[in-house]
Amino acid sequence: RECFRLMGVDEAHIDTIANCGVSRSAQYKMAGNSIVVDVLYHIFRTAFIPSERGAGHDLFGASSLIQGEFTKDNPLRVATLCSGYDSQFMALERLHRDFPDFCYERVWYAEHDPESNKPDAEQPQVIAHEALWPNCPNLGDMTKIDWAAAKEKYGEIDLLFYSTPCQSISQAGLQHGFTEGSGTRSSIIWNVRDALKILQPRFACLENVAAMVSKKFKPMFDLWRDTVDGIGYASFAQKLNAKHYGVPQNRDRIFLFSVHKEKNGGEANYNFPAPFPLTKKLQDVLEDSADTKYYLNQGSMCLLLKFF
């Protein structure tokens, strides 16, 4: 529960995940692999809420040239790749709560763990997603999706959010990179190229670890950005840290927000939300009491104290 709070997940959604039959260890893994809801909320707020755009309208900074409003009669149609339990939908739910005139529609998602020996429907992240967002179809393995068929069946989408695997990029991994055709987990990002070409969403957004723009991987990141822009987008990149957007966690991530130029009046601009002071403390997300099974035993304490 504390880990989900550090990812910006609200109590109702935590309860849903906790009661969906997924193990505690799987829940912990899902939280660690997800995106901080608060960061997404402020990205979406500055992109999709007209009153929150441009100088003079928003203390935190906002987009100025993105056209269109997303209301009940014209909802923002959203699809996500490598979705997990979908922090993106959580952020959009919060946006609708705070700005009731804003509406969105969950069109489909794609979630698949290639390392699991279970069918997609029995994988923890899919079980959690189905509990949170019932009746939203899962297209499964994004490397095998027929994008033209998906467009034919589900229609146009406005926002495609892709948070492709970070294992081959992260400093915690072997850093084999995401070069096209390399076969690494992170190289499946190149399947998004075909999705963008065929689906042509008005907006697309990438999230990944900050190491994606490190000295080692910046050339590959720039190549990906140029590829997206070559399809007809204008892309804007920035690292955002969760501690600057209301969550007491030092979690730095790169975001690439892409705006389809032709579908947005021929021009495109996006300013990421500026940071603001953190008022929440770690103790604000901690439980008042914890089960004794989470305590170190006497032997472990003695071993630990030898290092001090």
Side-chain angles (χ1 to χ4, degrees):
R1 184 169 290 270
E2 293 168 346
C3 291
F4 280 123
R5 288 172 182 161
L6 281 173
M7 298 306 296
V9 182
D10 65 32
E11 297 301 310
H13 288 144
I14 295 174
D15 289 339
T16 298
I17 296 172
N19 295 320
C20 73
V22 173
S23 69
R24 286 176 179 264
S25 59
Q27 291 179 46
Y28 180 83
K29 182 178 179 180
M30 285 191 291
N33 287 335
S34 67
I35 311 170
V36 176
V37 176
D38 298 65
V39 177
L40 292 170
Y41 170 87
H42 288 292
I43 291 174
F44 295 154
R45 175 182 61 81
T46 55
F48 304 129
I49 305 300
S51 63
E52 301 292 287
R53 301 177 191 151
H57 291 289
D58 179 19
L59 293 175
F60 307 144
S63 55
S64 57
L65 296 180
I66 294 176
Q67 304 298 312
E69 297 182 14
F70 299 102
T71 62
K72 183 178 180 180
D73 296 327
N74 181 37
L76 179 79
R77 289 173 51 81
V78 184
T80 62
L81 300 175
C82 303
S83 312
Y85 54 71
D86 240 314
S87 299
Q88 298 91 312
F89 290 168
M90 292 179 180
L92 290 165
E93 284 285 294
R94 189 179 299 178
L95 198 65
H96 172 65
R97 181 196 66 197
D98 293 347
F99 301 91
D101 289 338
F102 166 80
C103 293
Y104 81 103
E105 179 182 350
R106 298 183 289 272
V107 182
W108 51 261
Y109 76 106
E111 177 56 47
H112 166 75
D113 182 359
E115 297 180 353
S116 175
N117 57 8
K118 296 181 179 179
D120 288 351
E122 297 177 16
Q123 294 177 6
Q125 59 274 24
V126 176
I127 293 172
H129 198 287
E130 295 294 328
L132 288 162
W133 323 108
N135 304 316
C136 184
N138 180 18
L139 303 192
D141 186 347
M142 61 167 279
T143 68
K144 299 177 180 179
I145 296 174
D146 182 332
W147 300 112
K151 185 175 183 178
E152 176 73 21
K153 183 174 182 178
Y154 299 106
E156 301 275 349
I157 58 172
D158 296 303
L159 170 64
L160 179 68
F161 200 107
Y162 56 107
S163 182
T164 47
C166 68
Q167 291 95 324
S168 312
I169 305 168
S170 173
Q171 293 177 346
L174 297 177
Q175 292 196 308
H176 288 154
F178 56 102
T179 301
E180 184 176 8
S182 62
T184 67
R185 285 290 301 276
S186 299
S187 67
I188 70 169
I189 189 174
W190 292 98
N191 292 92
V192 181
R193 175 182 54 201
D194 292 335
L196 293 175
K197 284 182 178 180
I198 295 171
L199 300 176
Q200 293 282 307
R202 285 183 61 185
F203 313 101
C205 190
L206 157 77
E207 180 270 353
N208 215 300
V209 293
M212 192 177 226
V213 289
S214 65
K215 182 178 179 180
K216 181 175 183 178
F217 296 125
K218 184 64 161 51
M220 276 188 276
F221 175 83
D222 290 340
L223 177 61
W224 171 252
R225 180 175 181 168
D226 290 344
T227 298
V228 174
D229 288 354
I231 299 172
Y233 291 84
S235 298
F236 308 89
Q238 190 164 316
K239 289 195 292 183
L240 303 180
N241 196 314
K243 67 183 180 180
H244 296 145
Y245 297 92
V247 175
Q249 181 188 176
N250 182 30
R251 189 178 181 90
D252 205 17
R253 294 293 184 267
I254 182 66
F255 291 86
L256 184 72
F257 193 91
S258 303
V259 182
H260 195 292
K261 290 184 287 188
E262 184 178 338
K263 289 189 174 182
N264 288 280
E267 287 189 275
N269 184 46
Y270 179 72
N271 296 316
F272 283 93
F276 54 89
L278 180 64
T279 58
K280 184 178 288 187
K281 298 181 173 67
L282 181 59
Q283 71 180 45
D284 295 328
V285 306
L286 299 179
E287 295 281 85
D288 293 332
S289 61
D291 193 293
T292 54
K293 68 182 179 182
Y294 295 113
Y295 284 70
L296 292 174
N297 60 36
Q298 187 173 2
S300 298
M301 283 295 295
C302 291
L303 180 63
L304 183 63
L305 289 171
K306 288 182 180 180
F307 293 96
F308 293 92

